[in-house]
Amino acid sequence: MAKNIYVQLLEKELIPACGCTEPMAFALAAALARKHAPGKIKEIHLKGSGLMVTGVQAVLIPNSHGRHGGYISTAMGVVAGDPDMDMEVLTKITDEDLEKAEALVEKLLAAGAFTQDLEVDVPSIYLSTNIITDQHNATVVLQNEHNGICYIEVDGKVLLDTRDINPITEALKKNNVDKSILTIPKIVEFCNTVDLAELDHIRYAMKLTQDICQDGIDNPLGMQCGRVLLKNMERGLVAKDEYNYTLAWTIAGLDARMGGTSYTAMSNTGSGNQGIICTMAPMAAGKWRGDSEEKIIRAVTLSNLMNIYLDYRSNEYAHLSPECYCGGVAPAAAACGVAYLHGDSAEVLNDIVRTGLGNQAGIICDGAKPSCAFRAYTGLFATLHAMLLAEQGISTGATEGIVHESADVTIDNIYRLQKETMNHTDEFVWKIKQEQKTIC
């Protein structure tokens, strides 16, 4: 019996990822290129879209003791990355491997043989990794998805070339569906009726998310936004309630992930942060409320599907966008999951999305970094308040800014905003990084 299309989409887009997906992409491409190019390394050349080369700069890498940047991510992949581990490519790296990776970076940079450049007029996710050894010359390209290997060339021979295939279009075509299945009423209906036996992947996502968020609560990682909030709840400086409990536990996971935790996150549409936000918010709210395990699982399923729905309507920006989706789209999806626990209707969810997206529109993505947790906190705080407003019949009006009475058209407008006005934001951020001499 074929799996339900929603279950297939969840299993396709919810992928375990150890560390932020940008450095993992650099490591994955490098590990694969190295596999095809044994021998003594003479040169490594990286070319990526603005969102990729800026995104990799500041976020901490797991098992690296605080290292960050495109050079060391690549070198770690070369030295000890396992390309068969996909987005968990660096899980087996040791301190000895790290020393070798740092030595490789130092040697190649000193020789001018390690380059990292911006490539324009390419998909928002694009990375070309070229490794030249004394025996071989291998190039690996990924695009559209952080693990979207689409081109492999070794010694002038092309082994793989699927650059013209769009993974979202192909996934929907393969399952004989179109985007019309992704609507709020249909998602709600599915979550109300699906047999829990079909949601083992959601249970797995919940387990991974619980562990990474617990790490952020227990340890001083990243900006410690969630940990500090929870401590101040205990001290009585902020209210100890469902709202702040949900915020603290959710953002703690982002603190951990942006702070270099070795725990694996379940990513959603290529973003571990979006996966954490969509999974932990309804988990934490459900725990605070004392809801049943079944109800929480259904709410987590809904929020993750809402995120996929909103990201897919962003077309080529579905897996990485000029706008910060961890601060806007994922919080809207997560708040819908919390609202589901409250028993709210599809109409209320529609209003949450409209108000939330309108409020956060245009906030740029300027690369993965510890402060992403604070930005996501800001977005989730506001969008949970949009939920409280929507439950009282209050929402952003259809004449206000880019907001439409339909969530569908509102997210379409967000896409157009990015396409028509934000398309070169990443190039601007890269220029700033160059001026400040912070490229690494």
Side-chain angles (χ1 to χ4, degrees):
M1 182 178 177
K3 289 183 180 179
N4 182 284
I5 179 57
Y6 294 101
V7 174
Q8 292 184 52
L9 287 173
L10 288 167
E11 291 180 353
K12 177 187 181 299
E13 293 295 353
L14 272 60
I15 300 172
C18 181
C20 178
T21 40
E22 272 79 68
M24 292 308 102
F26 276 69
L28 177 62
L32 186 56
R34 177 57 166 164
K35 181 178 179 180
H36 287 285
K40 184 178 179 181
I41 295 177
K42 298 172 62 179
E43 301 175 36
I44 301 178
H45 302 290
L46 309 172
K47 292 183 179 180
S49 63
L51 287 171
M52 290 295 287
V53 292
T54 60
V56 76
Q57 296 299 313
V59 65
L60 305 190
I61 308 165
N63 303 316
S64 75
H65 304 293
R67 275 74 168 179
H68 56 90
Y71 294 125
I72 190 65
S73 298
T74 299
M76 289 170 71
V78 166
V79 169
D82 183 352
D84 294 331
M85 293 289 289
D86 198 52
M87 296 306 287
E88 295 178 281
V89 58
L90 295 181
T91 51
K92 298 178 182 178
I93 199 162
T94 65
D95 287 351
E96 183 180 355
D97 295 328
L98 184 60
E99 290 179 8
K100 292 179 180 178
E102 287 197 307
L104 178 63
V105 172
E106 184 177 349
K107 176 183 177 181
L108 292 180
L109 283 178
F114 204 160
T115 62
Q116 186 177 181
D117 295 310
L118 172 71
E119 186 86 349
V120 298
D121 299 324
V122 291
S124 60
I125 296 179
Y126 177 88
L127 177 65
S128 171
T129 299
N130 173 231
I131 294 180
I132 301 172
T133 72
D134 58 352
Q135 301 175 28
H136 298 282
N137 185 326
T139 298
V140 170
V141 176
L142 59 81
Q143 68 180 30
N144 295 319
E145 297 176 294
H146 288 86
N147 61 345
I149 303 297
C150 61
Y151 184 83
I152 301 173
E153 180 183 318
V154 181
D155 299 330
K157 182 179 179 180
V158 176
L159 306 183
L160 173 72
D161 189 356
T162 58
R163 288 174 293 181
D164 293 334
I165 297 176
N166 184 297
I168 297 175
T169 302
E170 287 300 306
L172 294 173
K173 185 189 300 182
K174 177 181 176 182
N175 296 303
N176 297 315
V177 296
D178 56 39
K179 290 182 182 178
S180 66
I181 69 156
L182 291 170
T183 68
I184 295 176
K186 289 180 180 179
I187 290 172
V188 171
E189 180 184 5
F190 168 75
C191 293
N192 284 339
T193 59
V194 60
D195 188 332
L196 291 189
E198 295 188 65
L199 299 178
D200 285 347
H201 198 58
I202 290 295
R203 294 178 190 272
Y204 182 40
M206 292 169 65
K207 170 63 170 64
L208 292 180
T209 304
Q210 177 64 42
D211 290 345
I212 197 171
C213 291
Q214 186 72 60
D215 193 31
I217 291 293
D218 292 342
N219 298 295
L221 296 166
M223 282 194 70
Q224 304 182 59
C225 298
R227 191 167 186 251
V228 168
L229 178 57
L230 195 64
K231 284 185 174 181
N232 282 316
M233 289 168 61
E234 298 299 332
R235 294 173 61 194
L237 292 179
V238 293
K240 193 174 184 179
D241 55 21
E242 176 189 336
Y243 197 103
N244 283 321
Y245 185 82
T246 300
L247 283 166
W249 271 92
T250 302
I251 302 306
L254 275 66
D255 286 323
R257 184 167 177 270
M258 298 289 97
T261 182
S262 59
Y263 282 90
T264 295
M266 182 66 85
S267 66
N268 184 311
T269 53
S271 167
N273 285 354
Q274 291 182 52
I276 292 169
I277 293 167
C278 293
T279 299
M280 179 46 75
M283 280 178 65
K287 180 178 179 180
W288 180 270
R289 293 165 51 83
D291 286 320
S292 68
E293 180 185 30
E294 175 180 344
K295 192 169 184 179
I296 294 172
I297 291 172
R298 294 185 186 279
V300 171
T301 301
L302 180 131
S303 60
N304 277 283
L305 280 172
M306 287 290 295
N307 197 69
I308 293 170
Y309 143 66
L310 293 171
D311 281 4
Y312 271 30
R313 292 195 76 97
S314 298
N315 301 307
E316 69 266 28
Y317 300 136
H319 294 91
L320 192 61
S321 54
E323 180 172 313
C324 175
Y325 277 15
C326 299
V329 170
C336 287
V338 176
Y340 183 86
L341 295 172
H342 292 187
D344 294 335
S345 66
E347 289 75 17
V348 170
L349 271 55
N350 182 78
D351 287 346
I352 293 170
V353 171
R354 294 169 53 253
T355 301
L357 292 183
N359 185 57
Q360 299 296 109
I363 297 176
I364 68 167
C365 173
D366 55 349
K369 54 203 174 300
S371 59
C372 286
F374 192 45
R375 185 175 292 175
Y377 165 85
T378 305
L380 185 57
F381 180 94
T383 312
L384 286 172
H385 196 73
M387 175 191 72
L388 299 179
L389 291 170
E391 290 174 344
Q392 299 299 314
I394 303 168
S395 63
T396 302
T399 60
E400 300 181 39
I402 63 173
V403 176
H404 186 270
E405 63 184 15
S406 159
D408 285 354
V409 179
T410 302
I411 188 62
D412 288 347
N413 291 343
I414 293 289
Y415 165 69
R416 291 174 57 199
L417 170 69
Q418 297 177 87
K419 183 73 172 178
E420 297 176 23
T421 71
M422 300 177 68
N423 214 23
H424 298 288
T425 301
D426 51 358
E427 297 170 29
F428 169 77
V429 175
W430 181 253
K431 181 179 180 181
I432 294 294
K433 300 290 286 184
Q434 288 178 311
E435 291 173 354
Q436 296 178 170
K437 302 186 186 311
T438 55
I439 295 170
C440 57

